[in-house]
Amino acid sequence: MTPLEMSLTEARQAILERKLSVSELVDASFRRIASTDEQVQAFLTMNEGARTEAAAIDKRIAAGEELGFLAGIPAGVKDNIVTEGIRTTCASKFLDNFVPVYDGTVSRKLKEAGAITIGKLNMDEFAMGGSNENSAYRTTRNPWDLERVPGGSSGGSAASVAAGQVAFSLGSDTGGSIRQPASYCGVVGLKPTYGLVSRFGLVAFASSLDQIGPITRNVEDAALVLQAIAGYDKMDSTSAEVDIPDYAGQLTGNVAGLRIGVPSEYIGQGVDPKVKEAVLAALKVFEDMGATWEEVSMPHTEYAVATYYLLASSEASSNLARFDGVRYGVRADNPDNLLDLYHRSRSEGFGQEVKRRIMLGTYALSSGYYDAYYLKAQKVRTLIKRDFDEAFNKFDILLGPTAPTTAFRIGEQINDPLAMYLNDILTIPVSLAGVPAISIPCGLADGMPVGLQLIGKAFDEATVLRAAHAFEQRTEFHKLRPQL
């Protein structure tokens, strides 16, 4: 087993027993990136100080100091999470020259746990997209098939883990942007409950939906990373004051008596038959472990995509108004006046998809249309959340595919925004409800990974992780690796 094939627990143990140094582990990560990233194209910016950080941790270990439980573990961070001294672009030309002077809360917490940020990962510009093709810099490729997309917007985060470049990564999920790429790349992706993980330092797309979470190779690793980044933060007004349990300690492997609901809308029309077959086979695994399941209807699912794109675009229109060419980021040369500076900086700095969503959101918020579109979408969001509340009165978790298909080919949908938006049809309702969900590998369809989505009650990540871990222990899908 190479250092980067170890689980987080195995790597920590090897470091503490002096069988492996942090410097060796970080060097292994850099070597793997050097040998594979020309193909995968997951990274945008490398942390030049990573080796110095590794050497410092090795000295602290030699001195017998107590360190965090992610000490020395190489991680990748999505490029919309600010990192002190490391360029943060959101994969946009607008922020091409932006180097933050502070850490976001999750970046700080990773440092406190001892993890080493290897670099910043590619994404769809400002997290707007589902294929990674909207990056202003490069198109990340799926390690399972370099002609296919890795998903988005956290495509670089998922691809880097699938390619074995880092031990884990952080992504952000607004409408499925952790879970869908995790499904496409055959890794584990967890979207926590809204408010469990601080958004301070996450460049905002849609503030009522954005949530940071881990992408890992197995469920236990996801539990450990969540443990490190979860918790109340006074710097985030939406942060929830809740107790943080020992997530890894509750991975018992026991799901006897677990009540599983399967939304009929999630396995119906539009879902690839081979994806559905893999999900139904997963249900049989849960049955064999003593869980029970039955179908449940989530009647407002059909309105989720329209609701999401109205709300998310409206919030994006407001959030991205701060990018004006004045305070930070790229500024247009020789403007005629202030309005010309705004117009040209935004026209030159933003990509096509970002402009599309700003225009849609501005229209929905404009006088005469606010009630007809934005307000109505908020009311439908309440109905979607009510579907989940009613389902969780009867079930412990809900189960279905993460995405209706496996990863599609690069260029196949980039000129069809509606087809691209529909790839998130099974993840968006969860985001609108603000509840936690995880995507785990559950098989292959035509050689490409299929993701199984497990959805839980608000702040009940422990049950979601326990169910996912139990499934993982009974199957071998999480051990499958792409052949780069």
Side-chain angles (χ1 to χ4, degrees), residues 397-460:
I397 63 169
L398 303 178
L399 179 153
T402 307
T405 66
T406 56
F408 49 91
R409 294 191 179 279
I410 293 170
E412 190 175 317
Q413 298 183 9
I414 192 64
N415 295 316
D416 188 348
L418 184 57
M420 188 76 78
Y421 295 167
L422 289 173
N423 289 308
D424 293 334
I425 193 168
L426 303 178
T427 55
I428 280 173
V430 180
S431 296
L432 290 169
V435 294
I438 194 170
S439 177
I440 57 175
C442 72
L444 298 176
D446 297 323
M448 295 301 294
V450 175
L452 178 71
Q453 182 174 215
L454 304 179
I455 307 161
K457 302 172 186 176
F459 301 107
D460 191 17

Side-chain angles (χ1 to χ4, degrees), residues 142-163:
N142 193 315
W144 288 82
D145 181 346
L146 297 173
E147 298 303 313
R148 295 181 185 267
V149 302
S153 61
S154 305
S157 298
S160 64
V161 175

